[in-house]
């Protein structure tokens, strides 16, 4: 698609649920960053994920446990050089299969369909074609 070098991805996590979220897993496929360890109920937190040193991209994922930990909120993003930006979200009560998440992310879009499971709904959007995109993922 001819987009330039990716520099970083800014993520906003909106926890509209009545449960706090705890971060058990942060995965870097390309680039690096950190994410808030706890997101209290009804609050939003922002983080940055930097592209790798070569500027080829920022691609990563996080899993938050919801409440007592039985439900997991999965968020993954891709901001790679010469490719459209993508985001993926899911809600699961099973172990997270990162290979499957990565495949789902690759076939996702900048505005995937909402996911409703286990009493929660999640949505996400990412700027489709910016080198410094922002994404927002919401759990409610």
């Amino acid at each position: 698609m001819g987009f330039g070098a990716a520099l970083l991805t800014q993520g906003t996590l909106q926890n509209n649920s009545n449960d706090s979220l705890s971060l058990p897993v942060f995965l870097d496929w390309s680039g690096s960053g950190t994410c808030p360890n706890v997101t209290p109920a009804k609050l939003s937190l922002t983080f940055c994920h930097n592209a790798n040193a070569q500027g080829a991209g920022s691609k990563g994922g996080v899993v938050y446990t919801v409440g007592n930990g039985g439900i997991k909120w999965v968020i993954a993003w891709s901001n790679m050089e010469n490719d459209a930006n993508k985001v993926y979200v899911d809600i699961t009560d099973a172990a997270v299969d990162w290979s499957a998440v990565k495949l789902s992310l690759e076939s996702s879009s900048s505005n995937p369909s909402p996911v409703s499971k286990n009493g929660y709904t999640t949505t996400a959007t990412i700027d489709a074609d910016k080198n410094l995109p922002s994404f927002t993922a919401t759990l409610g």
Side-chain angles (χ1 to χ4, degrees):
M1 296 210 170
F3 305 126
L7 300 175
L8 65 85
T9 305
Q10 179 175 307
T12 299
L13 306 176
Q14 295 181 331
N15 180 7
N16 292 342
S17 78
N18 292 319
D19 297 301
S20 65
L21 307 174
S22 300
L23 178 70
V25 179
F26 189 100
L27 182 69
D28 298 313
W29 284 301
S30 179
S32 63
T34 59
C35 207
N37 287 330
V38 175
T39 305
K42 306 294 183 186
L43 288 179
S44 298
L45 296 174
T46 301
F47 69 96
C48 286
H49 190 259
N50 296 305
N52 62 14
Q54 295 76 31
S58 158
K59 183 187 288 190
V62 295
V63 174
Y64 277 91
T65 56
V66 181
N68 66 7
I71 306 297
K72 298 167 193 79
W73 182 30
V74 181
I75 307 120
W77 62 91
S78 177
N79 168 19
M80 300 300 290
E81 186 174 21
N82 300 320
D83 195 9
N85 298 326
K86 301 169 190 163
V87 66
Y88 167 81
V89 287
D90 194 14
I91 299 166
T92 184
D93 57 5
V96 175
D97 178 347
W98 284 107
S99 297
V101 169
K102 192 173 183 182
L103 286 173
S104 295
L105 175 62
E106 292 305 317
S107 63
S108 191
S109 68
S110 62
N111 189 17
S113 298
V115 175
S116 294
K117 295 180 187 173
N118 301 307
Y120 297 92
T121 299
T122 183
T123 60
T125 59
I126 190 171
D127 299 323
D129 60 359
K130 292 184 178 178
N131 297 344
L132 299 166
S134 294
F135 78 83
T136 300
T138 303
L139 179 72

